[in-house]
Amino acid sequence: MSNEEEIQANLEKKEVRAIFIIMGLSLLIFVIFVVSLFYGVGEIPRQTVLDILFNNGGTRGQIYVVKDMRVPRAICAATVGAGLAISGMAMQALFRNPMASPSTLGISSGAAFGASIAIAFGIGTSIGGAPMMAFIFCLITMLTVYALSITRHGTPVTLLLLAGVALGSFFGGLTSFLHFIVDAEALQNVVYWTLGSFERCYWSAVRTGVPVIVVGMIVLCFTIRELNIISLGEEQAESLGVNTRRVKLTILLGTSLTVGGCVAISGVIGFVGLIIPHICRALTGPNHKILAPMCIVSGAIFMMLMDILSKSGLILDSVIPVGVLTSLLGAPFFIYIMRKKKTEFW
Amino acid sequence: MNAKIAAIIAIVVIVAAGAGGAVVLTQNHGNNSNNGNGGSGDSTPTEKGGWYAWDPTVVITKTAYYGQSPMLYKGAAEMFKTIYGKDVNTSQYTSSQVPADFLSYDSLIVAEDNVNNTVTIDSIIRNTKDSGGNYTWHHENTVVPVNPDWMICTGSYVALLYELIKIHNGGTADQSAVFNYVYGLDKSALAGGTSDINEIYGLTVPNTVVSINSTYSLNTQSNLTQYLNAYDAAHAQSKKLVTMMSGSTGPTYDQMIAEDGFLKKSAEYSEVTNLFFGATSVAEVFSSIEALGAVFGLKDEAQTFIQETRTNFYNMYMQAKEVTPQKTVYWESRNNASACGQNNISSTILDLLNLKNIVTGEGWVKGFGDENVVLKEPSVIIFYTGDSRTMDQMMRVATA
C-alpha cells in the first residue's frame, strides 16, 4: 500500500468512526428529548409524563403541559442549538477566523433590536410580534452588511467582518438606547428577550421558526465542499474553480435564515455558535463533511441539556434564562477544551 | 458516505423527532380529550384553546388603579361585576357596621400645629437591606406647611386631591381648583404616559404644568437638575412647594442624604418639603390619603373619602364571601413580566373579592411559569390594559 493510499485509508477510517459517533449522538437526542419532558416549573410525576406520552394518561392540564408546552419547547431547543452551531461553523470557515460566530456579522444584534422594538412599542404586532420582527431585522442586517462590503473587486471577507462588527455595535447601541427610554415593565421584557429563553416556545414557534431554521441549515449543508476549499483561502479556492462570491452569499443567506429563525424562537442565545463548532472541531478535525453533522447533533444535545438545567430549578431554585447558562457553563468548558488542545485547536 | 447526505440525515433526525412526535402526540391528544381522564378535564374545552380551555373568567384592569389612587375601589368593583355578574350592593352595610379592624391603617400624622399652620408627617423612605436581605425603612418626621402653594407629584395624588376638593365643595369642583397647586407632574401622568391622567381620571393637564422625570432615578444628574430647577423657581417666587412621592425610590435614603444626593441638595431650599409615602398595602394607601388631606387642610374630607371606600370594600367583601365554592385567580402583569403573589395591594384586592390566588410567593413573582397556570386552571385570570400582546397571545391561544 502506497503512502497516499494509507493516508486515504486512515481518513476513511476516521470518517466512518465519526459517522458512527454522529449516529450515536443522534440516538442520544431522542433520550435527552424524553428526559427534557420530565422537567418544568409545573410538578408532574415522571410516570405521569410517560403515561401521557404512551398510554393516554394524565389530566387535561398535565396533558396540555407535556404535549403543548414541553414537547414543542424541547423541539425548539434542539433545533435552535443545531442551527446556531452550524451557523457558527460556517462563519468560522468563511472568515477563517476562530472568533467568528453569528453575532460577529451583527445578525444577532440586529435581530435583538427588532424584537426589542416590538416588545417595547408593540411595533409589528399584526405580523407576528417580536419573533417576526427579529427575523425581519436579521435579514435587513445581513443585506446591509453584504451591501456595505461590495467593492469593484468583489466582497472581501475582511470588509464583511468589519461591516458586521460595525452594524452589530450600531444595533447594540440602539437596543441600549431602547433600554434607557422604555418603562420598567417593557424593559424587563426586552432584557428577558435578549437573555434568551425557551419559556415562550409553543407549537406556533415550531410551525413558524423551525422550518426557517431547517431550510437555513440545509442551505448551509450544500456549501460543505466549498467550505473545505474556502478554508484554505479565497485565492486558492478561486483557483480551484470555486465561485467565492456565490458561496459567500449562500452562506450569508443560510446563516441569516438559521439565526433569524433561532432568535425569533428563543431570543438571543450567545456563545453556542462559537463553542460548539470549536469543541466539535477539536473532537473530529476540520473536515466540514464530518464537522457539519457533528455540529448539528452536538448543538441540539447541548441546547437541550442547557434548557433542562434552565427549567429544572437545579440552580437557584428558579427558571434561569438559557442564554445565561450557555455562557456561564459553556465558557469554562470551552476554556478547558482550548487549553487541552492548545496548538491543534484551530 | 456522502457528507451532504450525512449532514442532511442529521437534520432529518431532528426534524423527524419533532414531526413524528407532533403527529403521534396530536393523535394521542385527540384520544385523551375523549377519555375523560381525571381533574377538571371532564368539562368540554372551548374551541379557542390555550387558557380558554378551562373557560376562565378574563378580567382586564388598569395598573394605575392599584396604588394611591381614588380608583382603587372602582377597579375592584369592576372586577367584582365581571367575575360575579352583578354590581356590589354598596348599601347593604353602613359605615357604622364596618368592623374597626377591617382595612384599618396607622395614621402618618404625628402632630398638627394650628399656630404655625403646619402638620408633621411620618415620611417613609426605603433604605439599605439588612443582613436578612430585607429592605429597612427610614422614618422621618417632616414638618409640612398646610396649604402649600405648589406641589410636584404623580397623577394619582392630583386625582386624589381633586376628589377631596369635590367632597369639600359638596360633590363638584372645577379642575383649576386642583391644578392651581400643581407645579410639576411625573411625566407618566401626561398624555401618552403609562399613567395618563386624562385617560384614567378625566383630568386635563394645563400647559403650565411642568413634566418631571420619574422619582425613581432621583440621584441622576438629569433628574436632580429637573427637581432643583423647580426648587429654584419656588425659591425665586417665594412659593411653598411640597414634593410627594413613593418612598420606594431608586436611590436609598442613605444615597439621597449623601453629598450631591437628592435630599442633601433639596435641604438647601427652605421653601421646599419632600414627603415620601409607602404604597405596598391598602392600609398605606389610606394613611397617605389622610396625610394628603391634612397637608391641604382637607383632613375631614380625607376621612370621609377613606370611610366611604372602606364601607364599599366591606360590602364587596361580604357579598363575595357568600359565593361558594371559592374561585381561584391568576393575575399577570403587563407582558408577563411577573405575577401577583401575596402581601401587596393587588393581593388584598383579591382577598376582598374572595379569590384564592394560585401564586403563593411574596410581592410580584417573576417566573411563576405558564405550566403552573395550566396545571392549576384558575377560574379567574386578570390582565392589565396597555399590554403589547394581543388578547389571544395573552391567553396563549394559537400556541398549541
Side-chain angles (χ1 to χ4, degrees):
Chain A
M1 189 183 277
S2 71
N3 220 12
E4 206 173 293
E5 283 171 334
E6 200 173 319
I7 291 169
Q8 185 63 32
N10 270 342
L11 280 175
E12 278 175 12
K13 202 175 164 188
K14 238 181 159 181
E15 202 168 292
V16 170
R17 195 189 65 178
I19 286 169
F20 275 112
I21 292 173
I22 291 163
M23 292 304 172
L25 289 175
S26 301
L27 289 175
L28 189 61
I29 288 179
F30 285 101
V31 176
I32 296 174
F33 184 90
V34 174
V35 170
S36 76
L37 304 184
F38 294 153
Y39 294 95
V41 290
E43 283 181 23
I44 303 176
R46 287 175 192 179
Q47 186 55 49
T48 310
V49 173
L50 294 174
D51 283 345
I52 291 167
L53 291 175
F54 305 113
N55 298 321
N56 295 340
T59 64
R60 185 179 62 203
Q62 289 170 334
I63 294 164
Y64 185 101
V65 167
V66 173
K67 292 184 176 177
D68 292 332
M69 297 171 84
R70 293 186 185 177
V71 169
R73 179 180 177 140
I75 292 171
C76 285
T79 318
V80 167
L84 290 177
I86 195 173
S87 298
M89 180 210 74
M91 293 278 104
Q92 286 163 15
L94 176 66
F95 296 120
R96 297 188 304 285
N97 188 326
M99 290 310 294
S101 72
S103 53
T104 316
L105 270 188
I107 295 174
S108 300
S109 302
F113 176 69
S116 298
I117 57 172
I119 295 165
F121 307 118
I123 297 169
T125 304
S126 57
I127 56 166
M132 192 48 74
M133 288 295 283
F135 182 65
I136 290 170
F137 269 79
C138 196
L139 286 177
I140 290 173
T141 311
M142 188 275 283
L143 291 172
T144 312
V145 166
Y146 194 75
L148 287 172
S149 315
I150 294 173
T151 67
R152 274 186 298 175
H153 310 293
T155 47
V157 164
T158 319
L159 263 188
L160 269 174
L161 203 56
L162 289 174
V165 169
L167 216 61
S169 296
F170 177 71
F171 280 121
L174 284 177
T175 308
S176 299
F177 179 65
L178 209 65
H179 290 178
F180 179 70
I181 59 170
V182 298
D183 63 53
E185 270 180 5
L187 174 65
Q188 201 174 355
N189 274 285
V190 169
V191 170
Y192 193 78
W193 182 273
T194 53
L195 292 178
S197 168
F198 296 105
E199 277 290 297
R200 294 162 197 183
C201 287
Y202 294 88
W203 283 114
S204 56
V206 176
R207 280 194 297 267
T208 55
V210 170
V212 178
I213 298 170
V214 170
V215 169
M217 288 198 290
I218 290 172
V219 169
L220 289 176
C221 285
F222 276 101
T223 63
I224 285 172
R225 192 184 71 87
E226 288 83 356
L227 275 179
N228 272 342
I229 301 172
I230 219 168
S231 301
L232 304 170
E234 271 188 74
E235 283 177 12
Q236 273 174 289
E238 276 172 11
S239 69
L240 288 167
V242 174
N243 182 342
T244 53
R245 191 167 183 159
R246 185 182 60 79
V247 172
K248 278 180 216 165
L249 197 58
T250 310
I251 291 172
L252 289 178
L253 178 70
T255 308
S256 295
L257 284 169
T258 309
V259 178
C262 290
V263 177
I265 283 179
S266 62
V268 181
I269 297 176
F271 226 55
V272 179
L274 183 69
I275 59 169
I276 296 296
H278 279 299
I279 291 169
C280 292
R281 194 176 287 110
L283 294 173
T284 63
N287 182 358
H288 290 89
K289 290 179 179 181
I290 302 300
L291 198 53
M294 186 71 179
C295 281
I296 290 170
V297 289
S298 305
I301 289 171
F302 176 77
M303 194 62 91
M304 280 200 291
L305 288 175
M306 287 297 110
D307 187 44
I308 290 172
L309 265 184
S310 152
K311 63 185 179 176
S312 63
L314 293 172
I315 303 172
L316 287 180
D317 196 28
S318 104
V319 175
I320 300 171
V322 75
V324 175
L325 284 180
T326 56
S327 300
L328 284 179
L329 300 177
F333 186 57
F334 178 59
I335 291 167
Y336 167 74
I337 295 279
M338 187 182 76
R339 293 300 303 165
K340 203 172 176 197
K341 288 283 175 179
K342 290 181 186 156
T343 51
E344 37 185 315
F345 189 64
W346 175 256
Chain B
M1 184 184 286
N2 185 297
K4 282 177 193 167
I5 294 173
I8 290 168
I9 285 174
I11 295 173
V12 169
V13 165
I14 294 173
V15 176
V23 171
V24 172
L25 293 173
T26 309
Q27 285 170 348
N28 282 351
H29 208 344
N31 296 336
N32 273 309
S33 63
N34 295 326
N35 70 5
N37 253 330
S40 49
D42 297 337
S43 59
T44 311
T46 58
E47 280 182 10
K48 266 198 144 183
W51 289 0
Y52 287 113
W54 58 91
D55 200 19
T57 303
V58 180
V59 180
I60 308 289
T61 190
K62 291 182 177 175
T63 323
Y65 288 176
Y66 307 98
Q68 280 129 329
S69 163
M71 310 296 263
L72 185 60
Y73 170 71
K74 187 191 170 194
E78 283 176 358
M79 281 200 210
F80 182 94
K81 188 173 183 182
T82 311
I83 294 162
Y84 298 117
K86 60 181 180 182
D87 286 314
V88 178
N89 175 4
T90 52
S91 56
Q92 188 177 350
Y93 296 93
T94 61
S95 60
S96 60
Q97 291 173 292
V98 178
D101 61 349
F102 179 79
L103 295 181
S104 60
Y105 64 95
D106 295 324
S107 178
L108 297 173
I109 301 168
V110 178
E112 292 174 272
D113 183 343
N114 294 326
V115 177
N116 294 313
N117 208 22
T118 60
V119 58
T120 304
I121 305 287
D122 178 11
S123 212
I124 305 165
I125 311 167
R126 187 164 62 186
N127 209 350
T128 48
K129 287 182 176 175
D130 61 19
S131 55
N134 300 312
Y135 281 110
T136 57
W137 294 86
H138 173 82
H139 289 259
E140 186 152 302
N141 288 343
T142 309
V143 179
V144 192
V146 173
N147 272 322
D149 301 304
W150 289 347
M151 67 172 176
I152 292 176
C153 57
T154 58
S156 60
Y157 287 107
V158 176
L160 274 170
L161 184 56
Y162 184 54
E163 287 302 315
L164 302 187
I165 293 171
K166 281 200 291 188
I167 293 170
H168 179 77
N169 289 356
T172 56
D174 193 274
Q175 290 187 14
S176 62
V178 68
F179 281 111
N180 283 340
Y181 289 114
V182 184
Y183 176 83
L185 258 184
D186 187 297
K187 65 179 182 182
S188 69
L190 300 167
T194 49
S195 305
D196 189 329
I197 194 174
N198 185 263
E199 186 191 323
I200 298 166
Y201 307 110
L203 293 169
T204 307
V205 183
N207 293 334
T208 50
V209 171
V210 176
S211 170
I212 302 269
N213 277 350
S214 167
T215 56
Y216 202 77
S217 308
L218 274 175
N219 265 13
T220 60
Q221 287 193 4
S222 58
N223 282 22
L224 195 57
T225 304
Q226 284 200 327
Y227 282 88
L228 296 184
N229 283 344
Y231 296 175
D232 280 337
H235 176 71
Q237 297 180 49
S238 298
K239 299 283 188 186
K240 288 178 286 180
L241 188 152
V242 175
T243 301
M244 282 177 283
M245 62 193 99
S246 162
S248 304
T249 57
T252 62
Y253 172 76
D254 285 350
Q255 288 168 333
M256 287 198 285
I257 57 164
E259 194 178 359
D260 297 325
F262 171 73
L263 285 175
K264 184 85 172 174
K265 283 286 178 190
S266 60
E268 294 170 9
Y269 298 84
S270 59
E271 300 83 1
V272 173
T273 314
N274 297 304
L275 273 180
F276 296 85
F277 296 117
T280 56
S281 66
V282 174
E284 285 187 333
V285 170
F286 287 160
S287 302
S288 58
I289 292 172
E290 187 198 37
L292 177 75
V295 169
F296 286 92
L298 299 166
K299 194 178 166 189
D300 291 343
E301 289 78 357
Q303 288 291 352
T304 304
F305 180 82
I306 293 165
Q307 195 54 33
E308 190 184 319
T309 307
R310 285 181 67 235
T311 308
N312 287 341
F313 271 128
Y314 188 68
N315 275 297
M316 188 177 83
Y317 174 63
M318 295 306 283
Q319 287 155 40
K321 253 178 49 170
E322 290 167 9
V323 179
T324 54
Q326 187 185 29
K327 289 174 183 279
T328 52
V329 64
Y330 171 71
W331 191 336
E332 188 170 281
S333 72
R334 275 190 197 137
N335 301 315
N336 193 16
S338 55
C340 174
Q342 306 294 325
N343 296 322
N344 57 63
I345 293 178
S346 301
S347 70
T348 307
I349 299 297
L350 297 181
D351 292 339
L352 294 169
L353 286 162
N354 189 32
L355 298 171
K356 184 176 167 52
N357 194 349
I358 63 167
V359 183
T360 53
E362 290 289 304
W364 281 83
V365 178
K366 287 178 191 168
F368 180 69
D370 291 0
E371 286 191 6
N372 279 323
V373 179
V374 172
L375 290 174
K376 292 178 179 171
E377 299 191 344
S379 37
V380 177
I381 296 177
I382 305 171
F383 295 110
Y384 282 126
T385 55
D387 201 305
S388 66
R389 298 169 296 173
T390 63
M391 193 63 221
D392 278 355
Q393 284 170 337
M394 289 194 282
M395 289 297 284
R396 279 63 162 180
V397 174
T399 52

